[in-house]
Amino acid sequence: MSGPSDYQPTNPVLKWIERRLPIFGLVHSSFVAYPTPRNLNYWWTFGAILSFMLAVQILTGVILAMHYTPNADLAFRSVEGIVRDVNYGWLLRNTHAAGASMFFFAVYIHMFRGLYYGSYKEPREVLWILGVIIYLLMMATGFMGYVLPWGQMSFWGATVITNLFSAVPYFGESIVTLLWGGYSVGNPTLNRFFSLHYLLPFVIAGVVVLHVWALHVAGQNNPAGVEPKTEKDTVPFTPYATIKDMFGVSCFMIFFAWFIFYMPNYLGDADNYIPANPGVTPTHIVPEWYYLPFYAILRSIPNKLAGVIAMFSAIVVLAFLPWLDSAKTRSSKYRPLAKQFFWMFVVVCVLLGYLGAQPPEGIYVIAGRILTVCYFAYFLIVLPLLSRIETPRPLPNSIADDVLAKSGGKAAPMVSTVIALAVAGALFAGSAQSARAAEDDTPPSLSWSFAGPFGKYDRGALQRGLKVYKEVCSNCHGLSYIAFRNLADAGGPGYSTAQATAFAAGYTVKDGPNDQGDMFDRPGRPADYFPSPFPNEQAARAANGGAAPPDLSLITKARSYERGFPQFIFDFFTQFQEQGPNYVSAILQGFDDKVPDGVSIPEGSYYNKYFPGHAIKMPKPLSDGQVTFDDGSPATVAQYAHDVATFLMWTAEPHMEARKRVGMQVFIFLILFAGLMYFTKKKVWANAH
């Protein structure tokens, strides 16, 4: 159903090409003259947003792949190397990681819009089925991409999800072995997932082409659910739909940029900033937020095989919607009962997502089973039944009549959708955080100079924190992702290159082998990284009562705590991401010689108010007067804790100041661009109504 094209190139070269390969005429008929229903609302803009997001993900993914090392021993460090050492690597990584969430956020709105307005009905069955295939490919691609950073949650998420295939009768174990490339998740698994994660986006792009082709053959659906009858019912795709989509994409980009520049870890899991350790299982393994409803369905069924079948059936059932719902009226706008049940279904999906992030115990299991039944009942019972018993409202005679109709109810679906999506986002964002023990005391929220959109590191605090680290923390903890040269980087402690060189020379670094084949010690150089106090993990454990002190480079991002409802909603708007510094500062000040009644501390452990379980192997590291500051700052534990937490925040986010500075520039541009698109759209559409 591409529009009639009158494209006639005037340039001789273009004429020559057009006679032999009429690609310009095809583009003109498909994206310029293509007739678009004039009553499309902004929910249709998410198709363009998805096309834009797919392009962003492919572009950033290809560049990231140039620097990524798909090796189990090097993957985690290579990702950190991208963020720290590649020019604007932090921007690429944040865009790609947050882009995955934005991609799924947009596709869920796109799918719910299709459900509400009946976009799966004749003659658009193939269009809908292709959309379901794209969604399945997206889920596979997203899962494999989540494994690539090779953090704790990545590793254990891969272990749990791939193990599901073992439930397949007869062939299950063979499938799992094939996926793993061995008998456990390891280097072959990572290589397989990297290859497929790189390949599948191009497969998705191919299916998207088919999806758009099918759309142009059948024509676009519209909120009224009636087919175009005259030229008054449609407008050319360009400039009308094009400028409307550009405005919608620019608004979405503002939302997207909020995550990229100010909340890059909001939707992630702190455990994924811990290198993968097959010997330590996270307390609570959860997938990314966009898988949570299906994860809840999986866990709600006690039988493993039945759970796997139910999980995949929850997606596959979407492909059969054109035949499950045989109602002649497409749009729920004119189906009162269907509209009510649709919003009930949205609530069911939101609640399933919330339950997917909760521990599978008690009331959560029972609620999960009830909601799983409700989920399938909507497709298998409610929709077939409604198509037989429901009496729809009268449809408009044409799309033009729908546009001219004066109805106060037009905004209701949009308002309801916004409310439902806000609730969904709030529950998902809050529940996707790492589950921490509820009985643990929450660290107090402190005031940090680097908080907020204009936050910057306190240079004095960074330098004092470095001194505390060197004199106290470095006796047990490494800082292996920070090089001495970084001390002179912009946005860092503010040292000169000469000062960083002198600081490095104060360390002894093991190097070699030399010409005789021997290892030797030498003074540190700016290019060297902070040396570890122990030669290996076994030596670290032996010196610390069996517990290996963690590397502190990423500790402020690898430690978090649950903020709870509704605080995490406010966190989004206030850009609060300082759980890590709060936690580190609280741990350093949380030691107490007096163990409260009812708390049991194993021998060789120490009581700490803020440590999960309260039993920590590390003895109290700080005491008043232990470190003397040259600037006269108080020599107190509170000051030490604040300064070293500030320094460790910089080691985890060395480009934070640049990120926020660029973010402000991007926001100003996007807001101006969105305003320009809005007024241009108003002018273009002025004569269309």
Side-chain angles (χ1 to χ4, degrees):
M1 192 180 166
S2 296
S5 176
D6 56 358
Y7 177 75
Q8 294 293 333
T10 56
N11 185 284
V13 175
L14 296 182
K15 283 184 177 180
W16 185 86
I17 295 174
E18 187 69 11
R19 284 198 302 270
R20 291 156 178 80
L21 182 65
I23 189 169
F24 300 109
L26 176 63
V27 170
H28 185 270
S29 64
S30 300
F31 300 105
V32 177
Y34 174 64
T36 305
R38 66 172 59 233
N39 63 338
L40 296 187
N41 56 38
Y42 279 108
W43 300 122
W44 265 261
T45 303
F46 281 89
I49 289 172
L50 285 167
S51 300
F52 172 78
M53 288 307 305
L54 177 60
V56 167
Q57 290 300 93
I58 290 177
L59 178 62
T60 56
V62 168
I63 299 173
L64 287 170
M66 297 176 185
H67 303 278
Y68 177 73
T69 306
N71 182 283
D73 297 325
L74 303 172
F76 186 89
R77 193 171 190 93
S78 74
V79 172
E80 279 303 308
I82 291 171
V83 173
R84 295 168 185 271
D85 299 328
V86 175
N87 287 335
Y88 290 97
W90 58 267
L91 178 58
L92 289 168
R93 202 299 171 89
N94 288 355
T95 302
H96 196 72
S101 287
M102 295 300 101
F103 206 172
F104 275 94
F105 177 76
V107 85
Y108 281 133
I109 296 178
H110 194 61
M111 292 168 68
F112 278 126
R113 186 267 294 166
L115 284 171
Y116 184 86
Y117 290 113
S119 297
Y120 50 84
K121 292 179 178 291
E122 185 185 5
R124 300 176 180 87
E125 300 94 332
V126 173
L127 173 67
W128 176 261
I129 292 170
L130 286 170
V132 174
I133 293 172
I134 292 171
Y135 178 56
L136 283 168
L137 291 171
M138 281 180 60
M139 295 189 78
T141 306
F143 166 65
M144 292 174 186
Y146 187 60
V147 175
L148 299 187
W150 212 240
Q152 270 290 74
M153 199 56 70
S154 293
F155 176 87
W156 287 100
T159 301
V160 170
I161 299 303
T162 52
N163 252 314
L164 296 177
F165 290 94
S166 64
V168 177
Y170 304 112
F171 308 106
E173 295 297 334
S174 299
I175 294 173
V176 173
T177 303
L178 179 64
L179 288 171
W180 287 351
Y183 298 100
S184 64
V185 174
N187 195 59
T189 317
L190 182 60
N191 274 274
R192 281 163 165 72
F193 281 20
F194 173 68
S195 299
L196 291 172
H197 182 69
Y198 193 95
L199 171 66
L200 286 179
F202 297 100
V203 177
I204 292 174
V207 182
V208 166
V209 171
L210 296 178
H211 188 65
V212 174
W213 187 2
L215 173 69
H216 282 209
V217 170
Q220 286 181 295
N221 188 29
N222 60 85
V226 296
E227 297 297 328
K229 296 176 182 177
T230 66
E231 290 186 1
K232 292 182 179 180
D233 292 339
T234 62
V235 292
F237 185 83
T238 300
Y240 295 97
T242 304
I243 196 67
K244 193 172 185 178
D245 286 347
M246 288 180 69
F247 172 63
V249 169
S250 62
C251 291
F252 187 82
M253 276 299 297
I254 294 174
F255 178 65
F256 185 18
W258 188 270
F259 287 96
I260 295 173
F261 297 104
Y262 297 118
M263 305 291 289
N265 302 311
Y266 185 72
L267 297 173
D269 196 297
D271 280 351
N272 233 24
Y273 284 105
I274 303 172
N277 187 345
V280 179
T281 306
T283 305
H284 187 34
I285 301 173
V286 291
E288 289 286 76
W289 67 267
Y290 34 84
Y291 299 129
L292 289 176
F294 306 105
Y295 192 56
I297 292 173
L298 167 72
R299 297 190 311 178
S300 67
I301 300 176
N303 181 273
K304 185 176 181 180
L305 177 59
V308 172
I309 292 174
M311 181 180 69
F312 283 106
S313 298
I315 304 171
V316 174
V317 71
L318 294 170
F320 295 92
L321 260 180
W323 299 277
L324 292 171
D325 181 9
S326 57
K328 300 300 181 184
T329 302
R330 291 196 185 100
S331 177
S332 293
K333 181 179 178 181
Y334 299 98
R335 300 177 61 190
L337 288 177
K339 180 189 297 185
Q340 294 179 29
F341 279 105
F342 169 81
W343 290 115
M344 292 180 189
F345 175 70
V346 171
V347 172
V348 167
C349 292
V350 170
L351 292 177
L352 279 172
Y354 173 76
L355 293 175
Q358 306 308 312
E361 56 190 26
I363 188 65
Y364 296 130
V365 175
I366 297 172
R369 291 171 182 171
I370 294 172
L371 292 174
T372 297
V373 171
C374 293
Y375 180 93
F376 284 102
Y378 177 75
F379 295 110
L380 303 178
I381 299 175
V382 173
L383 290 180
L385 188 61
L386 287 179
S387 62
R388 290 169 172 79
I389 67 172
E390 184 180 29
T391 302
R393 290 165 45 205
L395 295 175
N397 292 324
S398 66
I399 292 175
D401 289 345
D402 180 60
V403 172
L404 296 173
K406 303 295 182 181
S407 173
K410 288 183 70 176
M414 182 173 293
V415 173
S416 302
T417 305
V418 170
I419 293 173
L421 291 173
V423 173
L427 287 174
F428 281 157
S431 59
Q433 296 182 34
S434 300
R436 304 298 180 192
E439 67 273 10
D440 292 339
D441 292 356
T442 301
S445 191
L446 305 179
S447 175
W448 302 99
S449 64
F450 48 80
F454 306 103
K456 293 184 177 182
Y457 291 118
D458 181 340
R459 306 297 172 216
L462 290 180
Q463 294 180 14
R464 293 192 300 269
L466 173 58
K467 188 170 186 179
V468 174
Y469 168 78
K470 182 179 180 180
E471 295 187 15
V472 181
C473 308
S474 63
N475 294 321
C476 297
H477 298 274
L479 208 62
S480 60
Y481 292 89
I482 295 294
F484 294 116
R485 60 177 170 78
N486 297 137
L487 299 176
D489 288 348
Y495 289 118
S496 65
T497 302
Q499 288 174 312
T501 302
F503 188 91
Y507 279 79
T508 299
V509 176
K510 188 171 287 296
D511 201 347
N514 58 19
D515 293 341
Q516 288 73 40
D518 299 323
M519 302 298 290
F520 61 93
D521 293 332
R522 61 166 175 80
R525 301 166 183 163
D528 293 325
Y529 287 80
F530 278 73
S532 173
F534 302 103
N536 50 57
E537 183 178 334
Q538 288 71 22
R541 291 186 181 279
N544 290 276
D551 186 273
L552 296 184
S553 304
L554 290 160
I555 198 71
T556 53
K557 292 201 293 188
R559 299 293 186 270
S560 185
Y561 54 89
E562 190 175 1
R563 296 275 285 175
F565 183 87
Q567 189 60 50
F568 59 79
I569 301 177
F570 302 139
D571 290 348
F572 173 77
F573 294 102
T574 60
Q575 301 179 7
F576 178 82
Q577 285 226 293
E578 287 75 53
Q579 292 104 316
N582 285 343
Y583 178 89
V584 171
S585 178
I587 288 292
L588 292 174
Q589 300 178 73
F591 289 89
D592 196 335
D593 294 333
K594 183 180 178 181
V595 180
D597 295 336
V599 178
S600 177
I601 301 298
E603 186 178 352
S605 298
Y606 303 87
Y607 174 77
N608 190 293
K609 180 181 179 181
Y610 299 107
F611 190 77
H614 301 304
I616 186 171
K617 286 285 187 179
M618 178 178 69
K620 183 178 179 180
L622 299 172
S623 57
D624 291 346
Q626 187 173 357
V627 180
T628 302
F629 295 132
D630 298 332
D631 61 1
S633 296
T636 62
V637 171
Q639 186 69 48
Y640 298 153
H642 183 276
D643 291 342
V644 79
T646 300
F647 173 70
L648 293 177
M649 185 63 190
W650 171 75
T651 65
E653 288 271 10
H655 298 295
M656 188 202 68
E657 290 187 5
R659 168 165 60 81
K660 292 185 177 182
R661 183 175 62 253
V662 173
M664 187 57 60
Q665 297 168 356
V666 170
F667 261 83
I668 293 172
F669 169 78
L670 288 176
I671 291 171
L672 292 176
F673 182 75
L676 178 64
M677 289 299 100
Y678 175 76
F679 289 110
T680 305
K681 179 195 75 72
K682 293 282 287 185
K683 184 173 181 62
V684 168
W685 278 86
N687 299 323
H689 296 295

